[in-house]
Amino acid sequence: MAMLDDGRIRIDRKGIFVDGTPELSARPYCNVSREARRMALDVGHDGSAASKEPSSNRCPEPASSIRYVTRQEMESEHPGVYAALPSQFRDRLPARVRASPQNSRIFRAGFDVFPGLVTDLFDRLRYVEGTEWPMWKLVGAFYLVKARIGESAARHAGEKIYSTMPWPPQVSTIADALRFTETAYFESHLRAPRWLAGCWRVVRETPTSMVLDDDTPYPCHLNEGVIAGISRAFSRQRPRYRILDEAGAKRAGGTVTRYEIEFTPA
């Protein structure tokens, strides 16, 4: 997925996110069509063979070998960022995971009515545009801006991006688009394994519904905008979504928000 000059997002005709595939909230991989699946994960965003990610969410290495970003490190970059992060995530952001530099363009596109705020935020986080993001800084940036503009505006930003995205031919239904969020997040985080970087994942699917997990550290309301935006983009299928187990959702202190999306068949 890449930004066009007018701020819109583009996916190339093969269904691959172009120029590093930015995204703010999707990931591993399910199955669009059989051909689209092969293209999305067997071919990298630069045309090379893509590395396969682990099929399991379980960590395949000792927990002691994973270094998480400390409060001291975060505060040395931007005082106040640690406190802005939800308690369930603030001590669990892996130091080695990085995100595509394209995320800064998506960030600006989503919050284009607050250009000064975004520029100031990047400066405070000591983020140099055009470079890869340490994942914790990108996560922190979204929570900091959400704190400034509110939950509703954050949701609207996510919805705006996904409702205006031109989808490739292989993504012709809302089910295709929902599945494709998995690949978007995976590529956006430079193919970091899902057990480390988090993920979106399809957990159940029928001809008229899908259950999708947001198992990422990004703001819950922002990612609700992803679902709302996809629903709006494929409104011809009359989609309706709801959050399952609201008491366990990220906004309530949990680590996973689960969505059920119902729709009419294409």
Side-chain angles (χ1 to χ4, degrees):
M1 183 154 52
M3 303 302 302
L4 297 173
D5 291 341
D6 62 2
R8 290 182 299 129
I9 297 183
R10 176 171 60 90
I11 304 176
D12 78 356
R13 59 190 177 82
K14 291 184 178 181
I16 307 301
F17 287 101
V18 182
D19 297 331
T21 309
E23 219 333 86
L24 30 86
S25 58
R27 225 248 46 195
Y29 165 68
C30 191
N31 50 346
V32 186
S33 64
R34 185 171 299 176
E35 180 65 9
R37 289 175 67 181
R38 182 190 66 77
M39 288 181 173
L41 286 189
D42 289 352
V43 181
H45 58 76
D46 59 357
S48 62
S51 57
K52 296 293 190 292
E53 63 167 328
S55 60
S56 172
N57 242 14
R58 292 190 294 258
C59 174
E61 61 184 71
S64 59
S65 69
I66 302 171
R67 191 178 79 79
Y68 297 104
V69 184
T70 66
R71 177 174 186 170
Q72 182 178 6
E73 289 175 302
M74 292 182 188
E75 293 296 302
S76 69
E77 296 281 341
H78 181 10
V81 66
Y82 181 86
L85 295 167
S87 58
Q88 68 267 39
F89 297 126
R90 61 175 57 143
D91 297 310
R92 304 292 295 179
L93 296 175
R96 76 183 197 229
V97 176
R98 305 184 76 79
S100 166
Q102 291 285 347
N103 282 290
S104 60
R105 301 176 70 183
I106 285 189
F107 199 104
R108 284 197 178 279
F111 300 103
D112 59 356
V113 295
F114 308 103
L117 183 153
V118 173
T119 298
D120 179 66
L121 189 60
F122 286 2
D123 289 343
R124 289 177 179 272
L125 284 167
R126 301 181 189 177
Y127 169 66
V128 179
E129 290 197 60
T131 64
E132 292 180 0
W133 285 83
M135 178 183 175
W136 77 263
K137 283 193 179 185
L138 184 59
V139 172
F142 278 114
Y143 279 104
L144 287 166
V145 78
K146 180 182 76 73
R148 289 284 299 275
I149 68 175
E151 295 171 348
S152 178
R155 177 190 174 280
H156 178 71
E159 180 175 0
K160 174 184 175 183
I161 292 170
Y162 273 86
S163 64
T164 60
M165 179 190 301
W167 297 92
Q170 294 89 343
V171 180
S172 60
T173 69
I174 189 170
D176 292 342
L178 291 167
R179 296 186 201 104
F180 211 64
T181 58
E182 301 187 77
T183 302
Y185 190 92
F186 181 52
E187 289 292 333
S188 174
H189 291 79
L190 305 179
R191 304 185 186 130
R194 63 185 179 183
W195 54 263
L196 190 62
C199 65
W200 286 84
R201 60 174 176 266
V202 175
V203 295
R204 187 169 70 249
E205 181 176 356
T206 75
T208 60
S209 69
M210 183 174 289
V211 175
L212 192 67
D213 277 2
D214 166 18
D215 189 0
T216 80
Y218 291 90
C220 192
H221 292 89
L222 179 80
N223 281 358
E224 181 184 351
V226 171
I227 303 297
I230 292 174
S231 297
R232 182 176 167 188
F234 292 87
S235 59
R236 65 183 182 277
Q237 290 185 248
R238 301 178 183 176
R240 303 173 304 281
Y241 78 85
R242 66 188 180 107
I243 295 175
L244 300 178
D245 185 22
E246 290 194 35
K250 293 193 297 184
R251 65 191 66 187
T255 58
V256 178
T257 302
R258 175 164 289 184
Y259 297 91
E260 181 180 57
I261 305 96
E262 297 179 320
F263 45 84
T264 58

